[in-house]
Amino acid sequence: MMDHSKYLESLFSFVDQSPTSFHVASNAATRLEAAGFTRLYEADSWRHLNSGKFFVIRHDGGLIAFTLEGDRETPRPFRMAGSHTDSPSLRVRPQPMQLHQGCLQLGVEVYGGALLAPWFDRNLSLAGRVGWLDEQGELHSTLLDCKRALATLPSLAIHLDREANNGRALNKQTDLVPLLGLSAESSPPDFTQWLKEELKKQKTEISVAEVLDFDLFLYEPQPLTQIGLEGELITGSRLDNQLSCHALLQGLINAEVPGNAMIVLNDHEEVGSATPSGAQGPFLSTVLERLYPDPDVRQQVIARSFFISADNAHAVHPNFAGKHEPDHMPKLNQGPVLKTNANQRYATTGVTASLFRSLCKKAEVPCQQFVMRNDMACGSTIGPLTASQIGVATVDVGVPQLAMHSIRETVGHLDGWYLMRVMQTFFEAEDAAVCLPEL
Ligand SMILES: [Zn+2]
């Protein structure tokens, strides 16, 4: 098992290098390749695949990695775990450049359920994916991370709005336009021209003739930071859900898997998951179909498999303890949280929770529980989507955190490490230990 200080080093470098879901998949791929996994392409035939370690990326933001053992006519269970690669953010509009009062501004759209107030007065950078033509007219797509601070979203001074501290409403169209610089020109510069220059500067090995389009997001380039009197907390961007992606990835990489194991990193959870690389799309089911083409064998595989859906949970906030169910208050650094909901917003059942608890015991990791108050609406995640898409027995769990969907979130320094240890224990468990008991 990876020790705690190595874990922190690994987590920090993973998140700091992953400003978007595309970077999560790309960095995961780099780590998988270094650990002996071979990349497969969906456009190739998988008919002759033998035992081994593989991964496949869909549409740059979704990734499935797996180990395969034995022939593909004999059903063997998968130890499966999933999380999501995306985080709420501000996405650059197709025609973003604006010029008002000599201020150059960048038009953005809100991606997902972002907590918007914390986005103000931060240093913001840009990252994502750019589509471009080379000198020969061939189309390419390249990841871009500007890394340096380029923009900010300045607040209105308190003197110009005395009610600012009394719950000022935020208009996403008019208040949320980041400042990108100053200009004495009469019209704003061309954004794709600027992007072309930026690409040229960063990727000297490519020759860009023309930038055609892009998927770019703003992010805060401040790295993850360990804080607290004893260093017991970590603050940083996108911990929901890159902390889980990292735990699953390292759990799989570090494990000696005795059979089949799989991690599913879906994109677009924050916007409903109904996309080709999202949990409501066909990514996982098509991979399973190709690994076990015989439907009868495949159903036997799924019926014996177990899926751990990992997405961060709400730790109790000391200033707002009344927002939690009094007997279910997850605390930071006290272990992964089992999430249950009577109305199936989470896929956890008493039996799937029992299996997860048994894994925590084996990994010597504490475990907590979350259930939403009856007088508040419950969120959801990829667990119920995956469970209802393919019919696999599923448990919803997550690392407790504060400030979910803020630009800077807070977690305990132990919980991600605990989750990674449970994952490794799960991936290393014998086939019989990952099958659910039946009545
Ligand atoms: Zn999440």
Side-chain angles (χ1 to χ4, degrees):
M1 291 270 176
M2 191 187 272
D3 73 27
H4 184 242
S5 64
K6 281 252 160 47
Y7 162 79
L8 290 180
E9 221 175 275
S10 169
L11 173 75
F12 282 37
S13 83
F14 186 77
V15 177
D16 291 341
Q17 292 172 42
S18 302
T20 71
S21 61
F22 312 128
H23 293 83
V24 172
S26 166
N27 289 325
T30 304
R31 289 184 180 210
L32 287 163
E33 272 169 350
F37 284 73
T38 304
R39 181 167 179 179
L40 301 174
Y41 292 87
E42 291 195 274
D44 294 343
S45 171
W46 295 9
R47 278 215 185 90
H48 308 292
L49 218 59
N50 287 316
S51 296
K53 307 199 272 188
F54 307 95
F55 71 94
V56 56
I57 293 176
R58 180 176 281 193
H59 296 187
D60 300 333
L63 181 145
I64 292 180
F66 54 92
T67 65
L68 203 58
E69 179 71 42
D71 69 80
R72 290 153 66 197
E73 280 82 52
T74 312
R76 295 202 70 174
F78 266 108
R79 300 144 185 79
M80 302 166 95
S83 56
H84 64 90
T85 56
D86 63 322
S87 302
S89 176
L90 301 181
R91 179 189 160 124
V92 179
R93 280 192 187 133
Q95 307 256 27
M97 289 299 210
Q98 306 178 19
L99 191 57
H100 299 121
Q101 284 73 42
C103 293
L104 203 55
Q105 292 178 280
L106 191 74
V108 294
E109 250 186 307
V110 180
Y111 176 85
L115 190 61
L116 292 170
W119 280 80
F120 285 81
D121 307 314
R122 305 271 180 168
N123 294 331
L124 300 172
S125 185
L126 274 174
R129 168 173 79 164
V130 182
W132 53 277
L133 289 178
D134 65 19
E135 309 288 352
Q136 286 72 44
E138 202 181 318
L139 184 63
H140 302 267
S141 160
T142 299
L143 285 185
L144 178 71
D145 180 1
C146 294
K147 292 196 172 103
R148 67 192 189 283
L150 290 165
T152 186
L153 197 50
S155 295
L156 179 64
I158 183 98
H159 317 79
L160 303 181
D161 179 6
R162 295 287 178 189
E163 290 304 303
N165 289 333
N166 297 326
R168 176 208 280 169
L170 198 151
N171 182 312
K172 290 177 195 165
Q173 172 65 18
T174 54
D175 298 355
L176 214 57
V177 194
L179 181 63
L180 194 58
L182 302 172
S183 171
E185 305 292 324
S186 57
S187 58
D190 183 59
F191 187 67
T192 51
Q193 194 57 37
W194 176 83
L195 256 185
K196 180 181 158 184
E197 296 310 315
E198 186 66 24
L199 258 187
K200 276 184 173 169
K201 234 186 294 170
Q202 288 205 24
K203 315 259 176 184
T204 46
E205 70 281 9
I206 60 177
S207 85
V208 186
E210 190 186 356
V211 166
L212 295 182
D213 221 310
F214 50 84
D215 298 297
L216 290 174
F217 297 84
L218 285 168
Y219 76 97
E220 188 195 33
Q222 192 187 343
L224 255 60
T225 312
Q226 208 170 342
I227 66 158
L229 292 182
E230 307 287 337
E232 60 271 57
L233 301 169
I234 297 168
T235 64
S237 300
R238 307 175 303 279
L239 291 167
D240 171 17
N241 197 19
Q242 292 188 14
L243 189 87
S244 307
C245 290
H246 173 266
L248 269 52
L249 180 70
Q250 288 306 137
L252 179 66
I253 284 174
N254 298 341
E256 303 268 358
V257 185
N260 291 344
M262 180 181 280
I263 60 169
V264 184
L265 309 183
N266 283 119
D267 203 351
H268 305 131
E269 191 272 344
E270 303 294 358
V271 292
S273 296
T275 70
S277 49
Q280 221 178 317
F283 190 24
L284 173 59
S285 48
T286 44
V287 166
L288 289 172
E289 278 164 27
R290 299 183 74 172
L291 296 181
Y292 289 97
D294 183 305
D296 189 60
V297 173
R298 186 167 64 250
Q299 285 312 313
Q300 293 180 59
V301 171
I302 292 171
R304 293 178 198 180
S305 295
F306 186 64
F307 188 88
I308 299 177
S309 152
D311 196 357
N312 288 2
H314 299 295
V316 61
H317 191 305
N319 301 349
F320 305 95
K323 294 286 181 188
H324 271 69
E325 207 298 309
D327 294 320
H328 302 83
M329 293 200 178
K331 295 187 176 65
L332 298 176
N333 283 339
Q334 295 196 15
V337 179
L338 274 161
K339 308 178 196 175
T340 50
N341 178 255
N343 298 307
Q344 299 296 309
R345 303 282 292 165
Y346 298 126
T348 309
T349 70
V351 185
T352 61
S354 298
L355 205 160
F356 187 77
R357 284 178 190 282
S358 76
L359 292 167
C360 288
K361 268 188 206 295
K362 212 180 284 177
E364 295 175 1
V365 159
C367 171
Q368 317 183 64
Q369 273 181 302
F370 176 81
V371 66
M372 189 51 96
R373 293 172 61 96
N374 276 328
D375 53 7
M376 285 171 67
C378 185
S380 191
T381 177
I382 60 164
L385 298 175
T386 304
S388 50
Q389 287 269 311
I390 66 164
V392 67
T394 299
V395 65
D396 271 301
V397 303
V399 160
Q401 74 156 106
L402 298 171
M404 190 178 284
H405 290 192
S406 171
I407 193 169
R408 205 161 181 85
E409 302 172 320
T410 299
V411 295
H413 72 326
L414 294 175
D415 294 314
W417 183 54
Y418 286 150
L419 180 65
M420 185 194 70
R421 283 166 49 189
V422 180
M423 286 301 156
Q424 185 172 341
T425 303
F426 173 49
F427 293 135
E428 291 183 342
E430 291 304 317
D431 283 2
V434 297
C435 290
L436 289 178
E438 285 195 58
L439 287 176

